[in-house]
Structure formats: structure tokens, C-alpha cells
Amino acid sequence: MAPVLMLFLHLTSKGSPLMRHLHLHSASALTALLVGLGSVAIADPTEVDILLAPTGAGPYLAFATMQNYAADFTDKVLPQAVETPGFTYNVRYLASQPDLWENTLIGSGMVVEWAAAEGIAPFFAAPIEAVRDFRIIGALSNTTNVFVTFDEDIQSVDDFEGKRVAVGLLTMNEWGMHQKMMLDSWGTTEKLKSFDALGPSQNIDALLDGRADIGTLAAHSNFDFSYTLEAGPFKTLQSSGRDYHYVDIDPELIQAYIDETGAPFKIQTVEPGTFSGQTEELTSFGNVALISAHKDFPEELAYEFTKLWIESGPTIGEYSAIAKIWEPETISEVARTNPDLIHPGAMRAYREFGLVTD
């Protein structure tokens, strides 16, 4: 029975002190009392949609878990995980839907928001001005995008010529967009035998089946790379029992793209043993994956969500592998490195937790 109704029945029971004092005998008086009691009831938490990724993707599973446990940490906000085609889609969709700006967060990334604001083809036909008004809530992870192959003759990007490359979906920045941006900029795409955007799992299936010579993988790490989550396709590749290796990317190639375009790619140098089957130091390109909002997203909601994220991370990490990355230092990374990009509500929470001190 609802607490307000139980209190009402107790106060209005026959012979109660309140009844004797007020002589409440009419239905109208009883109704007035009930309305008064109802007005002091605790409001339901505000639901906030988080547009994420396909159902099986790590970010979707992590926030679906947060959704289930949020009530243990707050009565102010309730996140709702929403399946989408991926982060590239999320950025485009939120920018085009002003009616969502006050109640919706998105899975996003530093690179994809830059690409949308700049109008980087073929992902964005023209600059999307609304993206310049996006503000970052926090960092999901540091990501690393790697090419993988069984062919010992493929040791660098120079060896891609005439080969069949398979990647994830182009609507997914970590699995397809980043790879195509880089290959296009290096002039490599036009030299390939084929380039197919199949999906995160499907591209590794094509590699295993002999339909592709080179596949791609994406990994998520915390702030200092002491914990790394490998997506499911890593395990598919490992369980095949075949010898594979990751393709080392010359950091000068990555830096040249950054210098030419201003793209916020990260040059990720990964220590041996970080990834399954990785026996040597590996250099590749990466990104900071994000949760973002439009600047119209209410400051108080951003504050409450950020508090929930920081406080619930350790608990959710017991049930969701990607949430193990959610250490306070990781979530707040961009607040320290690029504070001008942070939503003011989120920044207030980071300062309260001592994660930003200036």
C-alpha cells in the first residue's frame, strides 16, 4: 500500500485524535485532506534517455545495468538505456532533434563530435552547427582501434594495397568511421581490393572465413590503461586457435592526420600483453569515448547524473565489464584536459568530488 494512503487511513480512522479534533465527517473534507497529503509525496525521479549503441555493445550493456541499480543511489534521476546504430548516428540524431535537448544524453566521442562540426564526408555531408553546442558529461573510456590479420606479409599500412579490409558499421565511430577516415587520408582506401563495413562481429567472421584479409577491433581502457576491456570479437578471434597479429601503425602517419585536420585522435602506444595475443608493443589510433548532451540539458540533471555515474561505477562494475573502467579519474578525465567542453552541471559534480581542483 502506498505510504501516503496508509498515513491517510491512519489519520482518518474512527476515534483518531485528528478526527476527534477536526470533526471531519464530510466527503469533501476527507478529499481535501488526501490532496494535502499527496502534495508532500516525494516526486518520481526524472527519466533521462541515453542513446547508446546496438544491444550487444558494451556501452549499452553498462548503462542498462546502471538503469537497474540507479534507485540504490539516487531518487533524482533515472537513466534509460536506448539502443541505436552507434555513436555517429547518435550525434547526427540529437543535433537534428531540438525537442530532445533537455532530456537526452548520448554515447559519443571526441573525434565524432569534431567530424560532425567540421562536416567530414562521407559521414557528415556538411558541418552540423548544433554539435558545436554539445557539452561533455564525462568520459566512457580511452579507446584503441586496431587492424588485425593472419597474413604475416601484412606488417604495416603499406602492405594493405590489393587487400580486402573489413570493418564494423560506419555508424559506429570506434568500429568503422575512424578506420575509414584514416585509410582515406592515407590514400589507402583506393588501393584496396575491397573495403566492407560489415559490423563488429561480422568483420571478424569475414576474416576467419577467408572473405577478408584484414579486420578491425576496438578496445576500451581506463585512464591509465591499467584495465582494458576487449570487445567480444577479440574472444572470437582468440578462440579460433589461429595465429594472428595486430598491425602496428607508424605514429607519424597518425600525427600527420592530426596536424593536417585538427582531429582529436589519440596516438595510443599499447604495452605488450595488453590485448589478447599481443606479444610486442603496438601503436595505433584511438579516441576518448564520451557521454554528451546539448548545452540546453538542465544543469541540475547533469549534476545528478554525474554524481550517480561516479558513485555507482564500482557497483555496476561487478555486473558489467565495461563499467570496471568507470573509475572517478577516468570519468572526469576530459574535465581536467578540456574543461571548456564540459557541461557546467557535470563540472559542479567533479569539483564537489575533488576531481577538478582549479
Side-chain angles (χ1 to χ4, degrees):
M1 184 179 296
V4 170
L5 181 57
M6 292 177 65
L7 178 60
F8 171 73
L9 293 176
H10 171 71
L11 292 176
T12 58
S13 62
K14 184 177 179 180
S16 72
L18 182 62
M19 287 295 289
R20 291 198 304 271
H21 179 69
L22 297 178
H23 304 290
L24 295 177
H25 301 296
S26 68
S28 60
L30 291 174
T31 300
L33 178 59
L34 181 57
V35 170
L37 291 170
S39 67
V40 299
I42 298 174
D44 290 336
T46 301
E47 292 187 1
V48 173
D49 286 340
I50 311 178
L51 308 185
L52 291 163
T55 301
Y60 176 87
L61 295 174
F63 281 101
T65 305
M66 177 189 281
Q67 175 181 325
N68 291 334
Y69 288 92
D72 293 343
F73 298 91
T74 181
D75 59 4
K76 300 294 194 303
V77 62
L78 177 60
Q80 302 284 319
V82 179
E83 179 186 10
T84 74
F87 287 6
T88 307
Y89 169 90
N90 296 346
V91 169
R92 183 185 296 108
Y93 185 72
L94 183 65
S96 69
Q97 302 293 322
D99 58 317
L100 300 182
W101 290 353
E102 294 186 2
N103 62 7
T104 303
L105 303 174
I106 61 169
S108 184
M110 297 285 285
V111 172
V112 68
E113 291 188 11
W114 167 83
E118 294 295 321
I120 302 299
F123 312 99
F124 304 99
I128 302 178
E129 291 303 317
V131 177
R132 300 186 188 277
D133 290 329
F134 283 11
R135 298 293 181 267
I136 294 167
I137 301 297
L140 277 172
S141 66
N142 278 279
T143 69
T144 307
N145 310 133
V146 292
F147 291 110
V148 64
T149 183
F150 298 122
D151 190 338
E152 287 298 326
D153 292 331
I154 301 175
Q155 296 292 329
S156 71
V157 173
D158 292 338
D159 301 321
F160 283 22
E161 184 174 351
K163 303 300 183 182
R164 300 164 299 170
V165 172
V167 300
L169 300 175
L170 297 184
T171 53
M172 303 176 74
N173 61 336
E174 301 295 346
W175 287 92
M177 175 185 172
H178 293 173
Q179 291 81 351
K180 188 166 187 350
M181 288 171 68
M182 286 295 187
L183 292 174
D184 286 353
S185 73
W186 298 331
T188 303
T189 309
E190 60 195 32
K191 299 176 183 177
L192 300 175
K193 182 176 182 179
S194 64
F195 178 89
D196 294 302
L198 304 177
S201 298
Q202 293 86 343
N203 95 89
I204 296 302
D205 289 342
L207 182 64
L208 289 166
D209 294 345
R211 292 177 285 121
D213 303 302
I214 302 159
T216 195
L217 295 163
H220 297 267
S221 302
N222 60 355
F223 177 70
D224 63 2
F225 276 72
S226 61
Y227 174 79
T228 292
L229 172 68
E230 297 179 340
F234 275 91
K235 303 306 180 186
T236 301
L237 191 60
Q238 187 180 21
S239 65
S240 71
R242 298 170 62 183
D243 291 332
Y244 60 89
H245 67 273
Y246 305 105
V247 179
D248 194 64
I249 307 295
D250 185 343
E252 292 186 3
L253 280 176
I254 307 170
Q255 190 63 52
Y257 184 82
I258 295 170
D259 292 342
E260 178 183 350
T261 65
F265 275 110
K266 299 183 75 172
I267 299 175
Q268 305 288 38
T269 300
V270 185
E271 295 297 321
T274 300
F275 301 151
S276 298
Q278 180 198 354
T279 58
E280 299 178 353
E281 184 178 87
L282 171 70
T283 299
S284 196
F285 49 92
N287 177 45
V288 179
L290 307 172
I291 293 295
S292 291
H294 190 272
K295 69 179 183 180
D296 288 353
F297 190 79
E299 181 173 332
E300 196 64 24
L301 274 183
Y303 168 74
E304 294 294 343
F305 175 82
T306 305
K307 284 177 56 182
L308 167 63
W309 194 0
I310 294 170
E311 292 174 344
S312 67
T315 296
I316 297 171
E318 297 177 10
Y319 305 98
S320 172
I322 195 171
K324 293 186 190 322
I325 295 167
W326 291 352
E327 302 166 341
E329 292 78 10
T330 300
I331 297 171
S332 59
E333 175 181 350
V334 184
R336 292 185 298 277
T337 59
N338 292 277
D340 292 343
L341 303 179
I342 298 295
H343 193 290
M347 184 63 85
R348 175 155 61 101
Y350 294 134
R351 288 198 170 103
E352 283 190 10
F353 280 91
L355 297 165
V356 175
T357 56
D358 58 0

